[in-house]
Amino acid sequence: MSVTLILLPLALAAAAAAGGVGAIGAAVTAKGTDGDGSRPAIRVRTRMKDSTLLADALTNLGATAIDVSRSRVTAEIDGVSLTMTLTEDAVWEAHVEGLDGRDVTIVSATELLQQLDTEYAAMVQQAVAAKIRARAAGSGFELVSETREADDTVTMVLNVRAGA
């Protein structure tokens, strides 16, 4: 068995939620079935846009056979095959299929994508923090301190340099 998931960018998800499509936060809402009626269609929000960071997130989750392009990502992880395709509407469609006879359920597919989203968010945070560190001095700032909380929240304190 396999499960196909539709991952909506945040702006589309908000519009969809207002229109009653059912895309909400971390919760997943089944809405009908896919084109052939055999698999439930599921919609969840995502912030995934950068395929390089997506590959890093998959690597951190232990995925293998990762292949990434701008509009398609494939990987094997935890006994399933994950294929994500960017549609013409800039919506990531994720298809999760069991390998070697392993069953995939809506719950297991959703959990996998939630783990991926969490790891992706951490990769984005690291990339943004690195950009701030790299650009601070050239932009007239001095990085005074940086702390990381237990929940991985990063707080950076920057001072404006004299004459900036």
Side-chain angles (χ1 to χ4, degrees), residues 49-56 68-71 73 92 120:
K49 295 178 183 176
D50 184 310
S51 58
T52 302
L53 293 178
L54 184 53
D56 292 344
V68 178
S69 70
R70 192 187 72 67
S71 61
V73 176
W92 281 102
Y120 179 85

Side-chain angles (χ1 to χ4, degrees), residues 20 53 81 118 120 130 145:
L53 293 178
S81 171
T118 299
Y120 179 85
S145 68

Side-chain angles (χ1 to χ4, degrees), residues 36-82:
D36 67 6
S38 66
R39 297 180 302 247
I42 302 184
R43 293 176 184 250
V44 296
R45 292 190 298 180
T46 185
R47 39 189 164 202
M48 295 179 227
K49 295 178 183 176
D50 184 310
S51 58
T52 302
L53 293 178
L54 184 53
D56 292 344
L58 285 164
T59 299
N60 286 352
L61 290 175
T64 59
I66 300 169
D67 184 34
V68 178
S69 70
R70 192 187 72 67
S71 61
R72 186 174 173 89
V73 176
T74 59
E76 293 180 8
I77 182 168
D78 294 334
V80 300
S81 171
L82 171 66

Side-chain angles (χ1 to χ4, degrees), residues 5 22-30 41-45 106 110-111 114:
L5 303 170
I24 53 174
V28 178
T29 305
I42 302 184
R43 293 176 184 250
V44 296
R45 292 190 298 180
I106 293 171
T110 301
E111 287 173 355
Q114 287 172 334

Side-chain angles (χ1 to χ4, degrees), residues 124-138:
V124 170
Q125 179 185 23
Q126 289 174 15
V128 169
K131 285 179 185 178
I132 290 171
R133 281 185 219 102
R135 296 178 183 172

